[in-house]
Amino acid sequence: MNTWQEGRPGGGGNPYGGNGGGAAAEPPLPAGLNPRGPGAPAPRQPGPSRLGGVPPQTVPGGPGGAGPAGARAGRWPRRRIVKWTVFGVLIAVMVTAVSTWFWADSKLNHENVLADYPGRPAAGKGTNWLIVGSDSREGLSESQMDTMHTGHDVEGKRSDSMMILHIGDHGNTLMSIPRDSWVPIPEYKASSGKTVKATASKINSAFATGNGRLLVQTVELNTGIHIDHYAEIGFAGFAGIVDSVGGVQMHIDQDIKDKDSGLDLKAGDQTLNGTQALAFVRQRHQMADQDLGRMRNQQKFLGALAHQAASPGTVLNPFTFYPLVDSALGTLIVDDDCGLTDLGSLFLAMKDVNGGGGKTLTIPIGNADYRTKTGESAVLWDTNKSKQVFDAFKNDTAVPDFK
């Protein structure tokens, strides 16, 4: 017989009475021993819970206390909240970055301009870009053509500027190619399928008749420099890039007023918008050496543009970064193997050239007013000096200075 059960006045499992489903009643202490007064119940003592477990400990700082156990109980939930908040922010940043990468990459217009052909120069050391500014009016409205003085009845596209950027261990070098350079143009197949025989002509005609692929081949065969990447942009894209970064700061050496390009600038420091910038890199009639002077302006401006576009204030500001990507990549034509990382290297190299970490030059000229058999005025390269420059590009050695 269970004596504990027998001693229970009220049944259940409590010797002090009460039913098994309620709270246990406590017997009164003798009147002389009870500090609460006669008939008051004794203070409740901890004991086994109704569910058979150990009762919770009363620790200062727990529920109603200030000790270490209670502090830990209060801090852990907050730590978890902070941890998951930080984790969520990191995930959101990663998703945004990846989404932006794919969005930007989808903007690129790829063309197969670097196709192999018999006799193509082997790849050299470093990386060589062929950068072409075309006079394509694609993307311009009638009013924009009027504002930019580009003319309306111009079909196709011709090169307005042409440069090779060499990125290597001995500094980066930006070299302009005069668009009137008189060079051999290799045989090629026209879009009609007809084969056009090799001839001598201005290098600009290679771009006008055979687009980027024939221009790359012409440049490679005449310089011996293997072109690794290609970038081409038209009028609309160029002006859009400038406007998207809020204009480009330039120092203008002297007043410029050119009716053909519509340029009207005062000497001094100023910020050029897209329309002004396009006119600045196109105007030549005020220059004593015409196209050669214009190429110096183009090099100067492109360096300033790259410096501003690659600055933290542009890259880290979504209000300039996204319009820049949209304007630049949406109108940019690149080779099939070119990606965003390659374009980043291009901008950083251009920025380096502008910051004094590299150099700019024009292919050494032997005759700036060569007269062709048809009476055209063209440009002949200096054979000996230009070969020294080309060899430096191919071998990634220091580019010689010619005074």
Side-chain angles (χ1 to χ4, degrees), residues 16 24-28 36 41-45:
Y16 300 110
E26 301 178 20
R36 300 183 184 181
R44 185 170 181 172
Q45 300 298 319

Side-chain angles (χ1 to χ4, degrees), residues 162 176-182 203-204 291-292 295 362-363 365 379 381:
M162 195 182 309
S176 290
I177 303 174
R179 62 179 184 174
D180 289 340
S181 298
W182 191 257
I203 199 169
N204 187 39
D291 263 355
L292 301 181
M295 286 186 289
T362 299
I363 287 181
I365 304 300
V379 173
W381 301 345

Side-chain angles (χ1 to χ4, degrees), residues 24 30 55 115 141 148 162 167 173 192 196 210 234 248 262 276 282 311 383:
S141 65
M148 297 180 181
M162 195 182 309
I167 304 174
T173 304
S192 63
V196 179
V248 175
Q276 292 172 320
R282 293 183 65 211
S311 68
T383 304

Side-chain angles (χ1 to χ4, degrees), residues 176-339:
S176 290
I177 303 174
R179 62 179 184 174
D180 289 340
S181 298
W182 191 257
V183 296
I185 308 293
E187 180 181 287
Y188 70 98
K189 184 170 291 187
S191 57
S192 63
K194 180 182 178 181
T195 298
V196 179
K197 292 183 179 181
T199 186
S201 185
K202 295 180 179 180
I203 199 169
N204 187 39
S205 67
F207 182 72
T209 57
N211 295 320
R213 180 183 292 194
L214 181 59
L215 178 61
V216 168
Q217 187 174 348
T218 301
V219 169
E220 288 184 332
L221 292 180
N222 282 279
T223 65
I225 298 172
H226 180 95
I227 300 299
D228 301 291
H229 286 298
Y230 175 89
E232 174 195 327
I233 193 164
F235 284 166
F238 181 84
I241 292 175
V242 174
D243 287 334
S244 67
V245 298
V248 175
Q249 298 177 1
M250 290 285 295
H251 177 78
I252 307 301
D253 296 326
Q254 59 184 14
D255 293 353
I256 302 175
K257 192 174 182 65
D258 180 53
K259 66 177 182 179
D260 291 325
S261 65
L263 188 62
D264 188 359
L265 297 175
K266 298 296 182 183
D269 295 328
Q270 52 193 290
T271 300
L272 304 185
N273 61 29
T275 299
Q276 292 172 320
L278 183 60
F280 179 73
V281 298
R282 293 183 65 211
Q283 70 88 22
R284 60 174 178 163
H285 299 295
Q286 185 170 302
M287 316 294 289
D289 47 3
Q290 297 283 302
D291 263 355
L292 301 181
R294 180 174 71 162
M295 286 186 289
R296 289 192 297 272
N297 278 347
Q298 290 170 347
Q299 293 172 345
K300 181 179 179 181
F301 183 84
L302 288 180
L305 173 59
H307 185 273
Q308 193 153 332
S311 68
T314 298
V315 176
L316 299 180
N317 184 352
F319 295 102
T320 55
F321 174 74
Y322 284 99
L324 170 62
V325 171
D326 194 43
S327 297
L329 304 189
T331 56
L332 193 66
I333 296 174
V334 296
D335 60 273
D336 282 343
D337 294 329
C338 178

